[in-house]
Amino acid sequence: MTFTVIIPARLASTRLPNKPLADLGGRPMIVRVAERAALSGAARIIVATDHHDIFTACQQHQVEVAMTRADHPSGTDRIAEVAASLGLADDAVVVNVQGDEPLIDPGLIAATAGHIKAGVPMATAAHAIESAQDAFNPNVVKVVLNKAGCAMYFSRATIPWHRDAFARSRDVLPEAHGPEHANDYAPLRHIGLYAYSNHFLQLYPTLTPSPVERIEALEQLRVLWHGHSIAVHVTSMLPEAGVDTPDDLLRVRKHFEAPPDSALVQSIASL
């Protein structure tokens, strides 16, 4: 599978100003995201931005970057502009990696890209929800799949609704009856990683927003509403959370702290 990763990045963030340029072990966050993406086997990694500070930071760290218009309504529209400028074939695969995911699993990027095929122009990822708190949290987006492993619906509500089990208790998730039935119930948490065929990526900005998209505030529902398929890669690995708040930034920074010099530690211990 050959694919291109495009990382949309804007400075605007109400909860964490200048987020893409936040320092993580001596490098801006957006550069760390590009470094993780490079481990996925992508043929090319490009940052798509509308801000000169991000453009300059990428150039300083030898990360390919492209300037875009500033009026794009979403990151998907932004990467579509960059993909169009590359002259990619219609069946080329483009992966949208969010610019605030400096700990994203490179294998997850590649696996999601691998789901693009004829008749399936878009793919994303999900993992099993393990706590009732997450199942009932509207900030945790859920997805239900069909037999082919494609999304039937995304929602902030608890789906699927286990009628009998939730009538007894909403504090504990129902147990699946053996591994062969694990997906019969297991609620799935959607992961905000997307892959597209280039043809569909160019089509996406022309799709009119859907009523359910506005109600749920979930952009991917537009795709389903217009009758297109979204394949879902279900991973057993719980992904590292992205960076949305100052507390998230402190958590992620711990991953980039330099380990202690072993020789220095031994020297101090011998004193």
Side-chain angles (χ1 to χ4, degrees), residues 105-117:
D105 177 11
L108 185 61
I109 298 173
T112 302
H115 282 270
I116 301 298
K117 57 186 177 181

Side-chain angles (χ1 to χ4, degrees), residues 37-59:
L39 298 176
S40 70
R44 194 170 181 180
I45 299 95
I46 307 170
V47 171
T49 186
D50 61 357
H51 202 284
H52 289 285
D53 289 350
I54 296 175
F55 186 90
T56 299
C58 289
Q59 286 194 319

Side-chain angles (χ1 to χ4, degrees), residues 76-169:
T76 310
D77 297 271
R78 191 175 307 281
I79 71 168
E81 179 190 339
V82 173
S85 72
L86 299 178
L88 299 174
D90 282 351
D91 62 352
V93 177
V94 179
V95 182
N96 179 352
V97 174
Q98 301 301 313
D100 57 4
E101 298 278 354
L103 300 178
I104 191 168
D105 177 11
L108 185 61
I109 298 173
T112 302
H115 282 270
I116 301 298
K117 57 186 177 181
V120 182
M122 181 173 171
T124 188
H127 69 88
I129 292 176
E130 299 179 350
S131 74
Q133 181 180 6
D134 283 346
F136 288 95
N137 183 349
N139 293 318
V140 174
V141 177
K142 276 71 68 172
V143 59
V144 172
L145 311 185
N146 64 16
K147 184 178 180 180
C150 290
M152 294 171 62
Y153 191 68
F154 297 85
S155 182
R156 297 183 182 279
T158 306
I159 56 172
W161 183 265
H162 200 297
R163 185 194 65 176
D164 296 335
F166 287 152
R168 295 190 298 269
S169 173

Side-chain angles (χ1 to χ4, degrees), residues 200 202-210 213 222-224 226 228:
F200 183 73
Q202 301 308 318
L203 173 67
Y204 178 88
T206 70
L207 300 178
T208 56
S210 68
E213 170 189 354
R222 183 184 313 180
V223 177
L224 300 182
H226 282 277
H228 301 283

